Amino acid sequence: WIPIICSPLRRAGSSAAADTASVRLMVVGDMILARGIGDRIADEGNGAPFRNVQSIFDRADLLIGNLECVISNRGARASKLYTFRARPKTVGVLRKAGFDLVGLANNHTLDYGRVALRDTIRILRDAGIRQAGAGADRDAARAPVVLTRNGLRIAFLDRADAKLDSYEWPNLDWEATDSRSGLAYARPSQLRADVRAARRNADVVVV
C-alpha cells in the first residue's frame, strides 16, 4: 500500500476550505479475488485477504485499488496465459475492507470477454464501489470518477500502459471504442486532454 497526502494547488476561484484541506489516500496494487484467494475467501470469509492490514486501511480517507480480475460467473476464457475470474460474492471482500474505488484498466479486464466485464461493473456498482478505466464505450472508459472528502474534490483517471501487441493483449481489441466496450489505454495526447478536462471539475487529479 502507498499512503498519499493530497492537497490542491491554489487556483483562481478555489475555496478557502479547499486550499487548506488534505486527504489521505491509500493505493493498493494488484488484487486478485480468484484462484487460491477465492478459495480462502470461501473458507474463511470476506475478512480473510486483508485481515492483517485492515487497521492500516482504516486510517485512509479514500482507499483505492487495482482489481486484477473480473467478477462474474459468465464469459469464455481468453486465449492467454493467465486469466482471473472471481465469484460474484467476493465483491464483499472489497466492501468489507472499505474500498471506495477500483481501477479496471489492466491486462485482465477482458479475461472472460465483454459479458464478464459488464458483470464486473454492475456488481461493483451494486456494492457501492466506484470503478474507473473501463466502460461500455470509449467515453465511459475514459471518464473521471470524482470523489469528495474533507472538502476536496478529487478526480481519478485509470489507464492501461503496456504493449498492445504483447501476448497479454490478444487481438489488440481490448481498448474501448465508440461502439465497443473495453478499457482506457494511456495514449499521451488523450490523457493530457482528459487531465485538463477533469481539472475543471476537481481540486486534485490523480492518474
Side-chain angles (χ1 to χ4, degrees):
W1 62 277
I2 304 172
I4 304 168
I5 304 298
C6 281
S7 295
L9 297 172
R10 183 175 292 274
R11 61 175 180 165
S14 62
S15 68
D19 285 340
T20 59
S22 66
V23 171
R24 182 188 295 270
L25 302 182
M26 288 191 184
V27 182
V28 181
D30 297 356
M31 301 184 295
I32 299 171
L33 304 179
R35 295 191 171 185
I37 296 297
D39 294 339
R40 186 178 173 195
I41 294 165
D43 292 340
E44 301 178 33
N46 288 337
F50 299 117
R51 184 172 293 131
N52 293 331
V53 294
Q54 188 62 55
S55 62
I56 297 172
F57 286 178
D58 291 342
R59 288 156 36 198
D61 294 311
L62 286 171
L63 185 60
I64 317 298
N66 178 51
L67 185 60
E68 197 83 353
C69 65
V70 296
I71 303 177
S72 177
N73 283 325
R74 302 193 296 165
R77 182 180 182 274
S79 179
K80 58 197 291 279
L81 185 59
Y82 295 109
T83 58
F84 303 123
R85 179 176 61 180
R87 303 177 186 98
K89 64 182 180 181
T90 61
V91 74
V93 171
L94 303 176
R95 184 168 50 197
K96 183 176 180 63
F99 280 91
D100 298 286
L101 170 71
V102 294
L104 297 184
N106 61 65
N107 61 311
H108 294 286
T109 304
L110 287 165
D111 275 356
Y112 284 82
R114 289 180 162 82
V115 64
L117 171 60
R118 186 163 62 248
D119 286 349
T120 301
I121 293 171
R122 174 184 54 79
I123 289 167
L124 289 167
R125 182 185 64 241
D126 290 348
I129 299 169
R130 305 289 296 276
Q131 67 82 23
D137 55 30
R138 180 185 288 112
D139 288 344
R142 289 172 54 187
V145 172
V146 180
L147 301 176
T148 301
R149 290 292 186 280
N150 301 344
L152 281 183
R153 294 167 300 168
I154 305 177
F156 294 90
L157 297 169
D158 187 40
R159 299 292 183 267
D161 183 16
K163 292 180 65 176
L164 284 173
D165 60 350
S166 72
Y167 69 91
E168 281 294 294
W169 303 90
N171 303 321
L172 309 184
D173 68 349
W174 285 31
E175 188 173 15
T177 68
D178 289 341
S179 60
R180 184 181 70 194
S181 63
L183 55 82
Y185 189 72
R187 300 186 182 279
S189 61
Q190 289 179 346
L191 185 53
R192 282 192 293 270
D194 291 343
V195 169
R196 285 194 297 268
R199 190 75 176 94
R200 289 194 288 269
N201 298 303
D203 301 301
V204 177
V205 178
V206 177
V207 180

